[in-house]
Amino acid sequence: MNVLAIVGSPRKGKATDTLVDKAIEGIWTKRPASKVKKLHLVERDINYCRNCLTCRDSQTDAPVARCIIRDDMDDINNDILDADALIFGTPVHMGYATAVMMTFLERICWTFAKPEKQVLTIKGCPGPRSDKARKAIIIVTSGIVPPHLRIFCDWATGQIRGVVKDSLNAKVVGDLYAGDIERRGVEHYFEKAGKLGQRLV
Ligand SMILES: Cc1cc2nc3c(=O)[nH]c(=O)nc-3n(C[C@H](O)[C@H](O)[C@H](O)COP(=O)(O)O)c2cc1C
């Protein structure tokens, strides 16, 4: 199984990255043969979506439409296509996923989806271009707000969940909100992150 871990923290080796590593350890505990690639979005050249809608309006039958921008998303798109399972990790910044993660999500929104789905009365909602069924887990860290108050702080999980389902054809099999990291310490969530990783494979 190919797993792609996508880290949206601006900091390597800190809370989000550490919990993503724990999830990866969980994967290897359960399925040692799994291939895992970790991607630090902050290290990659990922430009802002320009809303030209070339990808959205593409008639291609390929699982990913071509973006007009030439940057590291070309390689990353191939990594996504190869992946059977995905890990998304992001800190909460002002209640949402980081700008680093959002920039990435905007770039995959329409390249991996075509506007064919109808939701209630709205036609033209994104539906995945790819038939390949994938699984995903989401890890969100926050500095101050504890888990029981997550509802006031975590819009990141819902954002990622939506894009993952509508664009990447991935089913979210679990998520972890690791809140109040500043007081509790990241170690508080190691076991949960490991179990979450096991659930992915
Ligand atoms: C710009 C900014 C906004 C933040 N907003 C929140 C917030 O709304 N709620 C919260 O609990 N923590 C907030 N934090 C703290 C981070 O969520 C916390 O430090 C996180 O665990 C960092 O993850 P990292 O160690 O992977 O960078 C914010 C941090 C930054 C830099």
Side-chain angles (χ1 to χ4, degrees), residues 98-113:
T98 59
V100 177
M101 177 59 83
M102 285 305 296
T103 303
F104 166 74
L105 294 177
E106 286 186 11
R107 289 291 298 283
I108 61 171
C109 166
W110 285 117
T111 48
F112 279 88

Side-chain angles (χ1 to χ4, degrees), residues 13-187:
K14 299 293 183 177
T16 311
D17 194 13
T18 303
L19 292 180
V20 167
D21 282 344
K22 289 291 161 193
I24 293 170
E25 282 176 30
I27 289 169
W28 281 329
T29 306
K30 188 163 162 200
R31 285 194 197 272
S34 302
K35 282 193 203 153
V36 181
K37 181 165 184 177
K38 189 162 74 162
L39 187 65
H40 289 279
L41 295 176
V42 75
E43 292 183 336
R44 308 304 290 268
D45 176 30
I46 303 175
N47 291 278
Y48 298 125
C49 171
R50 298 179 195 159
N51 194 6
C52 70
L53 298 181
T54 304
C55 61
R56 187 197 67 174
D57 298 337
S58 167
Q59 299 298 314
T60 182
D61 288 330
V64 58
R66 190 167 161 84
C67 176
I68 59 155
I69 304 168
R70 299 277 66 76
D71 60 10
D72 285 351
M73 283 305 295
D74 291 333
D75 286 342
I76 295 170
N77 286 347
N78 287 327
D79 289 337
I80 293 171
L81 291 175
D82 283 347
D84 308 297
L86 300 151
I87 303 174
F88 285 81
T90 184
V92 158
H93 280 187
M94 297 177 291
Y96 292 86
T98 59
V100 177
M101 177 59 83
M102 285 305 296
T103 303
F104 166 74
L105 294 177
E106 286 186 11
R107 289 291 298 283
I108 61 171
C109 166
W110 285 117
T111 48
F112 279 88
K114 45 189 171 182
E116 289 185 352
K117 213 165 70 178
Q118 177 163 340
V119 177
L120 300 175
T121 57
I122 306 168
K123 285 185 188 152
C125 297
R129 292 180 186 274
S130 169
D131 292 337
K132 181 174 174 178
R134 299 185 173 86
K135 291 200 281 183
I137 54 172
I138 303 169
I139 296 173
V140 168
T141 66
S142 87
I144 304 158
V145 180
H148 70 281
L149 298 175
R150 172 183 188 176
I151 190 172
F152 300 112
C153 176
D154 175 23
W155 288 280
T157 302
Q159 279 176 320
I160 296 170
R161 209 174 249 280
V163 181
V164 161
K165 176 171 159 284
D166 295 340
S167 297
L168 300 183
N169 204 28
K171 182 176 164 34
V172 177
V173 295
D175 63 75
L176 170 63
Y177 172 82
D180 191 19
I181 287 266
E182 282 183 23
R183 217 170 46 89
R184 298 180 184 207
V186 71
E187 307 77 18

